[in-house]
Amino acid sequence: RVGFNETNVTVITSDGTLRHFNVRYLRNPMQLTTDLSGEQSVDKTVHFGSKLTNEDIKDCELKIKEDSKQLKRKICDGNVCLELLGIYVKSDAMFYRLIVNNRSDINYDVDVLKLYVRDRNKAKRTAAQEVQIDPVSFSNEVKTIRGQNSEDVIIAVPKQTISKSKFLSIELFEKNGGRNLNLKVKSKAIANARLL
């Protein structure tokens, strides 16, 4: 309306890109839409839950890939294995290095990868607490692990430790399949995370 004070709008798109627009009233605007498809690529990615920038996370991922010490926690089903190679910490983020090894000839199509903090002992007639952890970033968005191949994935999550009565559950589900993997990580392994 006439007399509208200039303001701004900030939009964060589903890919994590931050866009900023100034908004003001014009009686006869020359342009009604804004086409951003030709916009030059500038890294403005926002990571919620961490003070680390995109470059910081990439640096951490490189250091983790170069690390020769490995943790070796593993779960297998139907010739597909999910293995935890290491847990690392920097600032307010923790990094889990995973490898998915498909030793079968059938491709493994990833449906979803989830992380939960769960109670170790479920007593009868009591409520069990389960908290999902939302990753800050993935080094590699794996969709398919081809037969006789493996994929390395580093997941960044907000830093947290858990009590001895709980464990971290890393779940990998196969799309239209039954080779679902659930890797349990004890609180002690998380408390011994290596500093980057």
Side-chain angles (χ1 to χ4, degrees), residues 4 26 54 61 67 71 75-76 91 109 145 150 186 188:
F4 177 80
L26 289 174
N54 215 19
E61 289 169 359
D67 186 21
L71 189 63
I75 187 85
C76 298
S91 182
D109 296 317
I145 296 103
S150 61
K186 293 181 179 177
K188 185 177 179 182

Side-chain angles (χ1 to χ4, degrees), residues 77-95:
D77 185 9
N79 288 328
V80 177
C81 295
L82 175 63
E83 192 170 354
L84 176 64
L85 298 180
I87 304 172
Y88 305 84
V89 65
K90 179 164 184 173
S91 182
D92 59 349
M94 293 190 90
F95 298 85

Side-chain angles (χ1 to χ4, degrees), residues 1 4 10 16 18 20 24 30 45 52 60 65 68 73 83 86 92 118 124 131-132 138 140 143 155 172 175 194:
R1 68 183 192 278
F4 177 80
T10 301
L18 178 70
H20 179 79
R24 64 179 172 269
M30 296 174 70
T45 307
L52 297 177
C60 290
K65 286 179 182 178
S68 59
R73 301 282 190 278
E83 192 170 354
D92 59 349
R118 293 192 166 123
K124 291 181 179 178
V131 178
Q132 185 170 351
F138 288 92
N140 184 7
K143 298 294 179 194
I155 303 168
L172 183 67
K175 194 179 220 175
R194 299 187 59 210

Side-chain angles (χ1 to χ4, degrees), residues 16-156:
T17 304
L18 178 70
R19 300 193 190 278
H20 179 79
F21 303 94
N22 289 327
V23 181
R24 64 179 172 269
Y25 175 80
L26 289 174
R27 184 178 300 275
N28 298 311
M30 296 174 70
Q31 180 180 337
L32 294 174
T33 59
T34 303
D35 181 12
L36 300 173
S37 61
E39 185 182 75
Q40 230 176 354
S41 178
V42 178
D43 191 5
K44 301 183 216 169
T45 307
V46 176
H47 292 291
F48 295 98
S50 176
K51 295 174 188 168
L52 297 177
T53 65
N54 215 19
E55 287 179 9
D56 292 336
I57 289 175
K58 294 288 180 213
D59 288 342
C60 290
E61 289 169 359
L62 287 172
K63 287 178 186 172
I64 290 168
K65 286 179 182 178
E66 292 169 358
D67 186 21
S68 59
K69 290 186 180 179
Q70 296 184 346
L71 189 63
K72 298 279 188 182
R73 301 282 190 278
K74 178 160 95 170
I75 187 85
C76 298
D77 185 9
N79 288 328
V80 177
C81 295
L82 175 63
E83 192 170 354
L84 176 64
L85 298 180
I87 304 172
Y88 305 84
V89 65
K90 179 164 184 173
S91 182
D92 59 349
M94 293 190 90
F95 298 85
Y96 292 87
R97 183 179 183 191
L98 303 169
I99 190 162
V100 185
N101 192 354
N102 184 0
R103 292 188 225 143
S104 75
D105 292 324
I106 302 167
N107 290 350
Y108 187 93
D109 296 317
V110 176
D111 185 17
V112 68
L113 177 70
K114 293 184 177 183
L115 288 87
Y116 292 96
V117 174
R118 293 192 166 123
D119 292 328
R120 280 179 85 178
N121 300 319
K122 291 183 182 177
K124 291 181 179 178
R125 297 184 184 156
T126 60
Q129 187 179 14
E130 182 177 281
V131 178
Q132 185 170 351
I133 300 172
D134 295 321
V136 174
S137 77
F138 288 92
S139 67
N140 184 7
E141 286 268 5
V142 178
K143 298 294 179 194
T144 300
I145 296 103
R146 302 189 71 75
Q148 304 300 332
N149 279 292
S150 61
E151 288 286 346
D152 203 345
V153 179
I154 299 169
I155 303 168

